[in-house]
């Protein structure tokens, strides 16, 4: 660990691989011998075109997807995707069908609801969002334009460990907080999007990976910038894209490849998550995990302590030893450790050791 850098457990913006930050730093003043920073380069310059093309190719290669999928970069955060999806694809006759599994899933549904084109396929809200709805809980309208899932619930710390069977209804997923964290049969999904500031880069852009057949659909009634087709036809260069963000996503994708790809990410992420879940499970109830065991997230580990006072002290004491960002979201309370791809094993080990000694001292 670099001097003065902490272990950053923030949910997003979040930790990035140190190697990637250093590479960006080294290239910062003179990108690819252009005599300019990547921040100063035209998005029409050949240097940038190469960055965009490489980022797209690496993302698709990591996901094992072929020519029937395209990669887009869109601004407005994952939150704008919540609105763009129903605007482009849902109608009153063929609504978007939503699985409510947490705060962001609900927000996505609310945008469709505003437009009068959203229905609910399943919800775990009543039971406190401790699990993601399982296959037998899903009631998918066979006429739905799509089934929308939030694949990892960043706030509640739950994650899907199966890919729903939809009987032909296109499968859409918000993967903001677990994109490229593990291998999946991505070809089972028709539309995937991720705000990159969780696991893939700095805030400012959303990575969209979708079937070309969906992106080819024109939606002429919509303003130009709200149509996926605009981004598709112009290779994400209809207007000025956030070049630096795309460059960083490209670097992170290349880093994942160099580490060995998604299988290696998954193996590391499972090991890291196990360290924390083991402490929780062996704490005799001192640490109370939010997620049901079969829905536990490998990315965001959420847990409570016996009192709010102890929770406050936990955050303070953790900070003193260089463990930052462990405070949970206000809607769940307690702690949340976000342990994305870039969080090293050593950081999680240090947090697990701290948890054990904190329990010893305060039980
Ligand atoms: C953070 C997050 C969002 C919101 O992303 P913005 O880019 O801030 O709009 C949406 N979905 C999930 C799963 C998230 O983790």
């Amino acid at each position: 660990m670099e001097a003065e850098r902490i272990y950053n457990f923030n949910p997003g913006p979040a930790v990035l691989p140190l190697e990637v930050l250093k590479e960006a730093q080294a290239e910062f003043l003179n990108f690819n011998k252009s005599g300019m920073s990547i921040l100063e380069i035209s998005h029409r310059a050949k240097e940038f075109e190469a960055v965009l093309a490489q980022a797209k190719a690496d993302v698709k290669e990591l996901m094992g997807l072929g020519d029937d999928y395209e990669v887009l970069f869109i601004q407005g955060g994952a939150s704008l995707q919540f609105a763009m999806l129903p605007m482009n694809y849902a109608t009153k006759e063929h609504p978007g069908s939503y699985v409510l599994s947490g705060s962001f899933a609900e927000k996505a549904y609310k945008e469709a609801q505003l437009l009068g084109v959203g229905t609910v396929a399943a919800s775990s809200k009543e039971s406190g969002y401790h699990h993601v709805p399982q296959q037998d809980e899903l009631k998918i309208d066979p006429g739905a334009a799509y089934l929308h899932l939030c694949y990892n619930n960043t706030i509640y710390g739950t994650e899907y460990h199966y890919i729903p069977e939809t009987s032909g209804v296109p499968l859409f997923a918000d993967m903001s907080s677990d994109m490229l964290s593990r291998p999946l049969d991505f070809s089972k999904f028709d539309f995937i999007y991720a705000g990159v500031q969780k696991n893939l880069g700095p805030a400012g852009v959303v990575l969209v990976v979708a079937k070309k057949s969906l992106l080819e659909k024109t939606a002429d009634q919509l303003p130009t910038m709200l149509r996926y087709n605009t981004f598709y036809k112009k290779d994400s260069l209809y207007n000025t894209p956030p070049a630096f963000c795309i460059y960083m996503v490209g670097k992170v994708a290349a880093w994942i490849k160099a580490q060995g790809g998604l299988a290696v990410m998954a193996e590391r992420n499972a090991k890291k998550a196990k360290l924390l879940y083991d402490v929780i499970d062996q704490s005799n109830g001192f640490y109370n995990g939010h997620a049901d065991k079969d829905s536990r997230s490998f990315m965001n580990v959420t847990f409570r302590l016996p009192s709010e006072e102890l929770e406050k002290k936990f955050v303070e004491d953790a900070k003193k030893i260089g463990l930052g960002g462990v405070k949970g979201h206000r809607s769940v309370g307690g702690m949340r450790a976000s342990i994305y791809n870039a969080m090293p094993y050593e950081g999680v080990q240090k947090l697990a050791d701290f948890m054990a000694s904190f329990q010893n001292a305060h039980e």
Side-chain angles (χ1 to χ4, degrees), residues 246-258:
I246 296 169
Y247 158 88
M248 289 296 284
V249 171
K251 285 213 176 298
V252 169
W255 175 83
I256 296 172
K257 267 176 61 176

Side-chain angles (χ1 to χ4, degrees), residues 11-12 76-80 82 104-105 150-155 174-177 193 195-198 205-206 340:
S79 300
L80 183 62
F82 297 164
F104 291 115
C150 180
Y151 218 58
N152 181 69
N153 297 282
T154 323
I155 291 176
D174 174 359
M175 291 197 185
S176 291
S177 48
Y193 63 99
V196 306
Q197 71 274 20
K198 306 283 162 57
V205 82
V206 173
Y340 300 121

